[in-house]
Amino acid sequence: MRNLIILFLICFFQLNLNSQTNGYFGKKFILESNLMFYNPCLYNVASYMDGSENYKSSGDSYKIANNRLDYGYRLDFGFNKRRNSAIHLEVGQEFFSFNPNFKYSYVYDGFTSYYAEEVKVRSLSFMPKIEFTSPDGLLPVGLYNQIGIGVNYYRPLIKDYSLIEYGSNSVTKTSELFNPEFKSKSISFLYKVGMRIPINKSMLFNFGFRYLFTWNIDKYMLGESYAESKYLLSNYSMHAMINAKEIRKIMLFETGITFAF
Amino acid sequence: MLKKTIFLGITFLIQISLWGQIEFNNYKTIRCSGTIPKDFSQLTTDKISEDSQERRENLNKTQEKIFLEGIHYGIDGLLHSGLVIYGDPISEYVENIADKLLAKRPEVRKKLRFYTLKSNATNAFSTDQGIVFVTTGLISQLTNEAQLAFVLAHEISHYTEKHVVATFEYKTRRTQQDDQIRQLSTYSKDKEFEADSIGIKLYYETGYAKEELTPAFDVLMYSYLPFDEIEVPVNYFNNEYLFVPENLFPKKKYEIKAIENYDDTRSSHPNIKKRKSHVEESLKNFRNWGDQIFLLGEDRFHYIRNLCRFESIRTDILDANYVDALYSIFLLERQFPESTYLKKMKAHCWLGMAQYKHNGSISDVVERNSELEGEIAALHYVIKKLKNEALYAFALREIVDIRKQLPPSDEMNEIYQRMLHVITTSKSFDLDKFSDKTFSEAAEEFLNSKHSDTNKVEVEKSEKLSKYDRIKNKRNKTDPTVFDSTKFYYYCLSDLIKDTLFVDAFKSMKDSISQVQDQRDRYYAMSYKERLEFDEKNKKEKTFSDFILVEPIAISYKKGKINYESSEKMEEDYRSAINTTASYFDYSIYNLNSKELKSIGTTGFNERSILSNFLMQMTQDTEIDILPVDYDDLRAIKKNYGTGKVIFTIVEHTYAPRVSPRALWFIFYPPGFLSYIPIPFMTGNETELNLIIVDVEKAKIEESVSYYFKEPMFKQILEARMYDIFKNLNSNTNY
């Protein structure tokens, strides 16, 4: 990560700020704040085909329901290097949940099998991006494409999770569903197509679609086995399940406001 | 008293004829005069809403909308094209004939308006709005007023019988102006016969002679030929310095191929023979024909026809039909040998032909052999046969001679300078090859040397020469034995070769062009970073401050057709974006557009037309540095506004998402299709923006910008684009 930031900073300061006039009304820097939404339909379909249902806690009870919406926000700082290309650095947080029963059928404590409620996860991501458009484009206005490589850090939400005993419907709470120290990271490859429409001389409305390919790069992929874990979900399982969720993102809709300065 | 009246009358007639003569000697293109008619100044949307009050029984609502939009936007486009004039002598003349034709039908007369269309097409057409357009090309082909009266009567009948609405093509919306004109002058065969019949009645009632009816169809049949058929003499180009051998002219005559009874099965119009027969049949319905050929006077007709013929030269030059213009000049020179205008236009033609030849596109100017017909063919043949250096020499000779004949003027100086530019940049033009003797001097010297004693010695010497020495001798122009009659053009600049002013000017221009070329080569050999530094150092001084903005055009397409409403809104946004953005840079913008005709008046409208015509001329071939035909008028515009920088711009937008057939591959991975779907919709906007800034004084494009981008059309986006354009105007270097 540190290397990536250094690389970005080197690129940034090597730019020729006196190059041909570009930017929006001559403004070469942009600050963008976006809200991001997506429907994990592919994940839900896969989950359904796996026969594992998604349980959501509802007070002392639970309900079975698919996750309809994951969301996040992003802050993006960019510099228009040329009329049709720019470099950006993006920082974002995403909130999603995964079904811990998916693919691994159920949670087993050595005596009893359970269904666990969905696990909420928060991810923090950093991504340097290159933005480009058609040769006659005038960034940041209009249609743009972005490609980027970034890293994501995941932390599950620590709370008492509901467990539903297999065969009965009794709900118990546990704080040992997963290791509270658990964290993970992945690398993402991004392609985004978006559009910025000017509102006034320094503000633009932005919307677009993000396509991400995320791959877990954490050491746990090779490490700890299920049997060694004292938690119901081993670190390895947590990783695998986050990865299963991330890899099934089809596309994310993003919208927000861009400030040019 | 009678004596006094006769004296006054004679004086008046002499004055009229003298005035007419002076007018043509110092001719200037016809302009609009008087107040702007409502047809020109009223907004198209207002016309449509006014016209939609009148219910057209045969049309449903959709058809009516398409019809009204089609005719109003189409005709308004034509009215504002810069080619239509009002309040001019030609339009007035046509109006006066219409007054005669419709003297007994004042209610019809009141509804009709007649305008002149500056076009060399032989055409007249009426519109559903009650506008009748008559082209200058038509009048220049006619032999008398009666023929024009019949054409007008025919067009009036199309209007009274509502033929436009009956033949309008609801399924196609024309985008090109030529197409629109063609559509408006195209009816079915039945409608043509009907218009002929009703037209004959009007014609008959007015008292015109029936003998002039059928010859009117000859005008139609031979309309593709020039307005007269006179042989170009083989010595036409010859003068003191220029000698053109006869063998440069075609040996055969090019026959005229037009026939009356052509196959009209695929044509909307019946053929000429059928129309003539139909007219002859209709004539039988009327008795006691009048014998009038010129109700408004023969002199007036000839005056108007000459105006149209002079205009036809200008139109040909605008359209880069230089050879056609040259032939028209040849025809008119017979009547107006001292006309300054004809001489200037001739210089324009030669310069234009030299520039096209230099650009390698002379075939755009001359007709193909298979298309040659009539006497004009000789000129096309000669020009086509001339090699590069021959044509340049011809052009230079003609331009130099005309420049000498006329009083000093900026226009002639500019033509001369541009001609010098052509020859100095041409690889095939080598001044050293040109002789300092005229053709006759060189020929005489050659003949003398053949018969002289010294020649015998020369011949003996020559016998002993090697092959290579002979070649060298032959290539040495100073050797009289190498006189070559096929290179007759090498002798046409003999006076210029001896003129140090000319030679110095030639050399100095050649040197400066080669210096610029060297600098350009060095610039393009630089790295990107070096260029940036070079650009920074050599930033242009601020040369732009005020602009004349001529009618920014915005076209919005929907499903491949023009969406008029959206185009109009986009045009308004675009105009406003340009004006707003210019104010950020303290640029003043003078708007010359059709939406503000009430405020700019007829003067503004004329200026707008001149500028539009200039643009039209430039777009014939953008690679050629064309000299505007209205050179003086453009300079007058600069003087009037205090700026010679004119912005012409057009923006076209369409939204057409295209799903690639490759998307079928997603059959193997259906979720991929979901991912793909937003992409065509996001990238479906296509916008093309073209803008040029022309310096009318230099008659050159100063800046040109062409953008193709995939953005939706919002006013703010247009503003951002304009900001970018204006901002970069003063930061560009000369390269």
Side-chain angles (χ1 to χ4, degrees), chain B residues 672-723:
Chain B
F673 188 70
L674 271 179
S675 309
Y676 168 73
I677 275 299
I679 294 176
F681 289 95
M682 292 285 286
T683 56
N685 285 290
E686 287 176 32
T687 307
E688 195 174 338
L689 187 153
N690 289 292
L691 181 142
I692 54 170
I693 297 175
V694 178
D695 186 322
V696 292
E697 191 178 19
K698 294 181 197 158
K700 279 184 180 163
I701 296 176
E702 289 270 299
E703 295 286 340
S704 67
V705 180
S706 185
Y707 287 138
Y708 172 79
F709 48 91
K710 290 183 154 289
E711 289 163 20
M713 234 346 84
F714 291 102
K715 190 180 165 190
Q716 291 85 349
I717 286 186
L718 289 168
E719 275 187 18
R721 284 279 162 190
M722 285 314 301
Y723 182 94

Side-chain angles (χ1 to χ4, degrees), chain B residues 176-279:
Chain B
Q176 296 292 321
Q177 205 162 75
D178 287 350
D179 286 346
Q180 284 168 349
I181 295 173
R182 206 168 296 128
Q183 184 183 349
L184 287 163
S185 49
T186 303
Y187 303 96
S188 65
K189 292 186 180 82
D190 291 347
K191 306 282 182 219
E192 289 300 332
F193 284 135
E194 191 181 4
D196 279 344
S197 304
I198 298 169
I200 289 168
K201 193 166 178 250
L202 274 180
Y203 180 89
Y204 163 78
E205 286 170 0
T206 317
Y208 283 111
K210 76 170 176 182
E211 290 73 23
E212 291 306 320
L213 272 174
T214 39
F217 290 100
D218 291 335
V219 173
L220 204 62
M221 190 160 95
Y222 299 111
S223 62
Y224 65 98
L225 293 168
F227 52 77
D228 213 339
E229 270 294 293
I230 292 172
E231 185 182 354
V232 182
V234 287
N235 63 354
Y236 176 60
F237 296 108
N238 293 358
N239 59 28
E240 190 186 345
Y241 299 104
L242 181 58
F243 169 77
V244 179
E246 278 184 33
N247 62 13
L248 203 67
F249 281 79
K251 287 180 186 65
K252 62 166 187 174
K253 287 277 176 197
Y254 286 88
E255 62 165 331
I256 293 166
K257 296 168 192 161
I259 49 167
E260 280 188 348
N261 198 17
Y262 58 86
D263 180 11
D264 63 358
T265 45
R266 289 186 177 184
S267 166
S268 60
H269 277 59
N271 68 34
I272 303 289
K273 190 169 185 194
K274 284 179 189 164
R275 287 186 75 179
K276 274 187 175 175
S277 318
H278 177 260
V279 166

